[in-house]
Amino acid sequence: MKVHAPAGETELADLVRHLAATGTPVEVAGGRTRLGLGHPVEAMARITTAAMTGITLYEPAALTIVVRAGTPLAEVEAALAAEGQHLPFEPADHRALLGSRGTPTIGGAYATGVSGPRRVQAGACRDCAIGVRLVSGAGDVVANGGRVMKNVTGYDLVKLICGSFGTLGVVTEIAFKVLPRPEMSATLTLAGLDEARAVAALSRALASPYGVSGAAHLAGGGDGPLTLLRIEGFAASVDYRAARLRELLAAFGEATVDTDQVAVAAGWRRLRDVEVFAGRPGAVWRLSVKPTDAPLLVGELRRRLADTQALYDWGGGLVWLLVAEEGDCGAAAIRGLLARFGGHATLVRAGQATRRSVAVFEPQAPGIAALADGLRRRFDPSGILNPGRMAAVA
Amino acid sequence: MPAAAATLIEMPRPDATVIARRAEIVAALEAAAGAENVISQPAETLAYECDALAAYRCPPLAVVLPRTTEQVSAVLKACRRFAVPVVPRGSGTSLAGGALPTADSVVVGVSRLNRVLEIDLANRFIRVEAGITNLAVSEAVADDGFFYAPDPSSQLACAIAGNVAMNSGGAHCLKYGVTTNNLLGVRMVLMNGDIVELGGPHLDPAGYDLIGVVCGSEGQFGVVTEAVLRILPKPEGARPILMGFASNAIAGACVADIVKSGVLPVAMEFMDRPAVIACENFAHAGYPTDVAALLIVEVEGSPAEIDEQLARIREIAARHEPQIVRESRSAVQSDLIWKGRKAAFGAMGQLADYMCMDGVIPTSRLPGVLARVDEMSAEYGLKVANVFHAGDGNLHPLILYDANKPGDQEKCEAFGADILRLCVEVGGCLTGEHGVGIEKRELMVHQYSPADLEYQMRVKDVFDPDWLLNPAKVFPIAASHARRTRNHPPQAAP
Ligand SMILES: Cc1cc2nc3c(=O)[nH]c(=O)nc-3n(C[C@H](O)[C@H](O)[C@H](O)COP(=O)(O)OP(=O)(O)OC[C@H]3O[C@@H](n4cnc5c(N)ncnc54)[C@H](O)[C@@H]3O)c2cc1C
């Protein structure tokens, strides 16, 4: 497979025009850590953003950063950390979970729309993204949004492109709103709750004014079930909020509070990266549901797929499932339940053969599918960019 | 359109064949939505001739106020059959002319779709019909300790439908974001009558983020009839501090230092001297009128948390030699500090006619931009006062003019356009929360290249292939001409 690493937009646009004219399907890649997500792409060439790197603009006082798509995430995070700031949406590193190598890039995080535990408080990747530049499947250079936080000038394509898995264009540059990195973090832990009680505890905490920035539940594991809450802010504030939350949640048990900064950060990083399922055999699903539905849905699922493991994030709204990689990996069972409960499921990790035969993304209602298809055809008229990657079925 | 004829913004000539079939169209609308929900008497359609950009007016062919999503669907199908343009409407408070009708259009208003459908506190969302007012949403959950975060100053009147269409912001968006960050789902009717559901109570989209592009599409993709909104727990408390400085540049530097310090206020409002004086004369809020710039910064939390944040802010401000620092010590004092700022529009309205601009600039460029606006004010001979959401760079220059003086409105529009071009030049944008509508339509070429605009229009092609929904808005009239006239070439008046 021929690999192209254009150094800039003009070169990229010329290349894409040529590929479109010759009808050459192409795989679009950033750091290659998440290529295993979605349907396998049958491509004859690859475009990598590896040569489009660097921070174009960073104004800490304006809380904005503009970055070329191929820039390693670590480089962006380091630059922000030097000014006491961070990316609010806490993008995950999926290498361990997916068993991939490579270097996560900012463009890859944006194109797959990954958001970590702080989603419940600070928003998702799409909420923090404020500007985008891309080359469409027709080879046109398109800009949308800008570098200011508030912007309603024309349509918001910044959101549309976020999470479109390289099927609408090759992203070359993104602008983000950033936030001050909290002075201190603490983790509050409740032990031994069943899943329904755990989600009820998370709901109660998230309905409090104490600024919870992480709300997760680990169903199984060596220490039994653990329900986790994160509080961030100035030191005195964190102490105060932790104490209030302990009181508020007293009916759920005695919560312990961990303020060891290294341990707290490492714990939430493991959660963010879904490390509990890393290296373990089985297929991994990611479900987005109404939080209080999550334990009910998982309970019913276990009746059909006996050894389903679950990790709850976003107060229960995000569920990671580890199931046996057999047959359809539980697709019919999971989607049958979602039809009843609402929400959607993505098959995040499975072998190529499974991903070819199972609908990786949630099949959509015909009206919505028609809109999505129409957008794809207008952004990529020759259908060359990551063909089939987001298709409902291969 | 007597008023519009005298001004700069052109609307397409109404389609004479549509107007000629008026009776037939009204009958079809009545069949679709019930006669009691259709307004066609000229005396009554007059109430829908404009929004809050009141210099532009034109009564529509008819107005429909459906009571169900199904009626909306039937109405849109009927309109499509007759190739009638449709102007969706919430409460008509748009400042950009987003809800301005044309003589050949049907206004579809959602004001009768105003119920709360579901409140789910455990999952922190509310499902409403889209005609409900913004304030009514917060009120519906207030007793349970929740609120809906985006709070435009028009919140008593404006509808969630308009908020979604314009992606409206509010005083607290520095911390809580704007509409798009708090919108989880919509139910919407497309121009072909299809009813689609996007998103829902869960936190992220399945497939493409269609809600993300529907929010802010200014009524050009479909008629939104329901919305699922995130609700948030109310903070324990909030308190503002008021600080006056010797120059715009010093106040700007103080804002930058606050942001860099790691304190995240919920609101940070900046007023220049003309704005301070006008507000003080009008509202008697006790503002010092001898300062060059005034900052109001509000923080949230428990009493102790508020004290700590305000102490940090005072310490930063002290480095910028403030002429006055006044920390609120009570609810009464807080109200007084906000009273002046909230009266800004009213205060200007008392002085003269005014136009409110809505540009955004990188916060670091504030002093330079205000200095340039000052020069332009002298060049145009029109006074201007500036209020500014300092945390996010959203600048609201209020330009004063005299609507009765021939040529003054044109001059005011030209001055406003110059300010917005300046915003784009320094790295900002044309509009931060009011939307493009008709007002900033022709300025879009300053921010976007032809390809940038082409790809936006392609998105509209997908949602509304015949370009019947709010057709003459957002895009420069020449840029959208071919698409608007493709399937229904304009007919000359007989
Ligand atoms: C005094 C005053 C203060 C204001 N303050 C603020 C502020 O602080 N922040 C801010 O952001 N804005 C502000 N605005 C502007 C305005 O209130 C907002 O744009 C608001 O969201 C408009 O809501 P509306 O219901 O009045 O919509 P309308 O004016 O009726 O319509 C606005 C747009 O939405 C479209 N639309 C309406 N209903 C639908 C629907 N059902 N489906 C699809 N499209 C639809 C219309 O076609 C139009 O393009 C202010 C306006 C005034 C007059």
Side-chain angles (χ1 to χ4, degrees):
Chain A
M1 178 157 37
K2 187 149 170 53
V3 178
H4 304 272
E9 264 169 12
T10 318
E11 188 185 336
L12 171 62
D14 288 344
L15 169 67
V16 173
R17 265 196 300 277
H18 171 73
L19 296 170
T22 53
T24 313
V26 57
E27 178 182 86
V28 184
R32 313 204 65 223
T33 69
R34 275 182 267 263
L35 286 181
L37 249 166
H39 279 286
V41 170
E42 315 291 343
M44 291 160 67
R46 176 186 304 144
I47 295 175
T48 162
T49 56
M52 290 188 285
T53 58
I55 294 167
T56 327
L57 177 145
Y58 176 27
E59 267 186 30
L63 300 175
T64 30
I65 192 164
V66 185
V67 193
R68 291 207 183 87
T71 314
L73 202 49
E75 195 178 316
V76 180
E77 283 169 336
L80 292 171
E83 295 288 341
Q85 299 185 335
H86 68 177
L87 290 169
F89 62 98
E90 220 178 353
D93 179 344
H94 279 144
R95 280 177 292 189
L97 178 69
L98 299 179
S100 59
R101 276 195 289 266
T103 311
T105 62
I106 192 76
Y110 170 78
T112 53
V114 292
S115 310
R118 209 179 281 104
R119 163 66 182 106
V120 288
Q121 190 208 35
C125 178
R126 54 89 88 181
D127 294 299
C128 302
I130 53 177
V132 67
R133 296 184 65 86
L134 60 99
V135 171
S136 76
D140 295 317
V141 176
V142 180
N144 191 261
R147 52 154 296 200
V148 283
M149 299 189 195
K150 243 172 127 188
N151 188 344
V152 296
T153 320
Y155 301 155
D156 193 346
L157 305 186
V158 182
K159 308 262 181 310
L160 177 67
I161 305 299
C162 183
S164 65
F165 285 82
T167 62
L168 296 177
V170 182
V171 174
T172 59
E173 189 176 272
I174 315 131
F176 290 99
K177 160 183 160 179
V178 301
L179 281 180
R181 176 185 279 272
E183 196 174 277
M184 177 162 170
S185 315
T187 303
L188 226 90
T189 307
L190 288 160
L193 299 180
D194 69 33
E195 287 157 294
R197 290 278 291 159
V199 169
L202 297 178
S203 284
R204 177 147 338 154
L206 286 165
S208 78
Y210 307 126
V212 169
S213 73
H217 178 71
L218 273 157
D223 308 327
L226 295 176
T227 310
L228 308 165
L229 292 161
R230 180 173 58 186
I231 321 150
E232 299 173 309
F234 297 131
S237 182
V238 168
D239 285 347
Y240 164 77
R241 291 171 180 221
R244 296 309 299 266
L245 278 169
R246 287 192 72 211
E247 278 168 40
L248 183 75
L249 300 174
F252 295 93
E254 179 103 0
T256 57
V257 180
D258 186 357
T259 53
D260 175 343
Q261 295 307 288
V262 176
V264 171
W268 289 96
R269 190 169 51 243
R270 278 198 301 277
L271 257 159
R272 181 196 76 182
D273 298 343
V274 202
E275 258 186 44
V276 276
F277 297 161
R280 289 172 62 183
V284 174
W285 287 89
R286 177 187 183 283
L287 273 57
S288 188
V289 293
K290 197 159 78 178
T292 52
D293 284 346
L296 304 174
L297 191 152
V298 172
E300 293 213 24
L301 190 64
R302 285 215 185 90
R303 262 174 252 148
R304 283 159 233 203
L305 305 170
D307 39 48
T308 300
Q309 307 281 316
L311 168 66
Y312 300 79
D313 196 354
W314 300 356
L318 174 66
V319 186
W320 298 91
L321 296 176
L322 180 69
V323 301
E325 189 161 358
E326 298 164 0
D328 70 350
C329 298
I334 291 169
R335 297 224 157 99
L337 288 167
L338 285 169
R340 179 139 61 83
F341 285 101
H344 58 91
T346 312
L347 178 58
V348 169
R349 187 182 80 192
Q352 286 236 359
T354 312
R355 285 187 287 121
R356 278 207 180 83
S357 60
V358 170
V360 169
F361 292 93
E362 190 71 21
Q364 297 184 304
I368 313 265
L371 292 173
D373 191 52
L375 289 169
R376 192 156 39 235
R377 280 187 285 115
R378 278 166 183 85
F379 277 73
D380 178 18
S382 317
I384 54 164
L385 299 178
N386 279 346
R389 187 144 187 224
M390 282 188 91
V393 250
Chain B
M1 283 185 288
T7 56
L8 298 171
I9 304 167
E10 225 186 291
M11 290 300 278
R13 183 137 38 97
D15 186 335
T17 49
V18 167
I19 294 177
R21 298 179 76 181
R22 185 168 175 283
E24 245 180 293
I25 293 166
V26 169
L29 295 173
E30 290 181 346
E36 69 283 9
N37 296 322
V38 178
I39 299 170
S40 60
Q41 293 305 316
E44 293 174 56
T45 54
L46 213 56
Y48 297 85
E49 66 173 354
C50 70
D51 54 26
L53 187 69
Y56 293 86
R57 305 167 179 264
C58 174
L61 191 89
V63 178
V64 193
L65 303 175
R67 291 174 195 274
T68 66
T69 301
E70 289 66 31
Q71 286 178 354
V72 172
S73 166
V75 166
L76 294 194
K77 277 185 198 156
C79 290
R80 184 162 178 247
R81 203 161 63 238
F82 290 95
V84 185
V86 169
V87 177
R89 183 178 175 105
S91 304
T93 68
S94 170
L95 288 165
L100 174 73
T102 48
D104 59 354
S105 69
V106 168
V107 167
V108 177
V110 292
S111 56
R112 288 179 181 165
L113 285 161
N114 59 4
R115 292 174 305 164
V116 172
L117 300 173
E118 183 184 1
I119 294 176
D120 185 336
L121 300 177
N123 293 305
R124 300 169 300 284
F125 73 86
I126 182 169
R127 200 156 57 84
V128 295
E129 289 182 328
I132 192 170
T133 64
N134 173 292
L135 188 62
V137 174
S138 273
E139 282 174 355
V141 294
D143 288 345
D144 295 303
F146 284 84
F147 73 111
Y148 173 61
D151 57 344
S153 354
S154 51
Q155 68 178 159
L156 192 62
C158 67
I160 291 298
N163 295 175
V164 169
M166 291 314 206
N167 189 13
S168 303
H172 294 88
C173 61
L174 182 58
K175 179 164 176 192
Y176 297 112
V178 295
T179 304
T180 190
N181 312 114
N182 294 278
L183 177 70
L184 297 173
V186 295
R187 187 163 197 228
M188 178 169 94
V189 187
L190 303 180
M191 197 57 215
N192 63 9
D194 279 1
I195 299 170
V196 295
E197 312 261 355
L198 303 174
H202 47 274
L203 280 178
D204 65 358
Y208 293 152
D209 190 350
L210 298 180
I211 305 179
V213 74
V214 162
C215 189
S217 60
E218 303 206 10
Q220 297 198 300
F221 289 3
V223 175
V224 174
T225 59
E226 289 178 19
V228 180
L229 307 169
R230 222 159 109 87
I231 49 174
L232 300 175
K234 278 194 238 172
E236 286 180 86
R239 209 142 40 85
I241 184 169
L242 175 146
M243 301 177 287
F245 297 91
S247 75
N248 289 333
I250 296 175
C254 182
V255 168
D257 284 353
I258 292 172
V259 170
K260 274 194 290 193
S261 78
V263 182
L264 186 66
V266 265
M268 224 177 341
E269 294 289 315
F270 178 113
M271 298 159 87
D272 69 359
R273 190 176 157 85
V276 172
I277 292 172
C279 290
E280 178 54 23
N281 289 341
F282 182 75
H284 310 294
Y287 289 173
T289 48
D290 54 348
V291 299
L294 200 68
L295 275 185
I296 301 173
V297 183
E298 180 159 284
V299 296
E300 284 181 350
S302 68
E305 288 176 310
I306 290 175
D307 284 343
E308 179 178 5
Q309 294 175 76
L310 289 182
R312 287 187 191 221
I313 289 170
R314 293 181 82 119
E315 197 185 301
I316 294 163
R319 300 203 292 267
H320 299 277
E321 290 167 11
Q323 292 168 292
I324 177 173
V325 175
R326 190 188 302 152
E327 186 178 319
S328 162
R329 298 271 169 214
S330 68
V332 175
Q333 289 180 9
S334 298
D335 286 347
L336 198 61
I337 288 180
W338 277 115
K339 187 175 159 203
R341 168 61 186 87
K342 286 185 176 161
F345 286 23
M348 296 304 154
Q350 250 207 356
L351 292 180
D353 299 301
Y354 71 89
M355 273 176 88
C356 172
M357 310 312 292
D358 175 43
V360 185
I361 54 173
T363 45
S364 54
R365 306 298 295 268
L366 181 68
V369 167
L370 290 188
R372 181 70 195 114
V373 168
D374 229 28
E375 288 168 21
M376 287 192 226
S377 162
E379 286 159 27
Y380 277 99
L382 292 176
K383 289 213 173 79
V384 59
N386 291 289
V387 295
F388 181 61
H389 305 302
D392 52 40
N394 198 175
L395 182 66
H396 290 310
L398 301 164
I399 309 174
L400 307 185
Y401 71 105
D402 180 353
N404 292 320
K405 192 165 148 196
D408 234 31
Q409 187 186 335
E410 286 85 336
K411 214 158 75 172
C412 179
E413 285 182 10
F415 182 9
D418 277 351
I419 295 179
L420 296 185
R421 274 190 289 264
L422 174 65
C423 291
V424 174
E425 264 165 43
V426 302
C429 68
L430 296 171
T431 170
E433 55 183 19
H434 295 167
V436 178
I438 59 162
E439 190 204 11
K440 286 158 286 233
R441 201 184 59 192
E442 302 305 322
L443 296 173
M444 288 287 273
V445 295
H446 296 289
Q447 184 167 337
Y448 287 125
S449 76
D452 300 343
L453 292 175
E454 166 65 22
Y455 277 78
Q456 292 185 36
M457 290 192 286
R458 286 187 188 188
V459 178
K460 179 161 170 66
D461 291 342
V462 172
F463 283 87
D464 176 25
D466 296 329
W467 277 64
L468 285 172
L469 276 159
N470 230 1
K473 315 283 166 70
V474 182
F475 301 102
I477 203 87
S480 65
H481 180 266
R483 287 172 150 100
R484 282 184 291 108
T485 54
R486 193 167 44 207
N487 296 324
H488 32 96
Q491 307 289 319

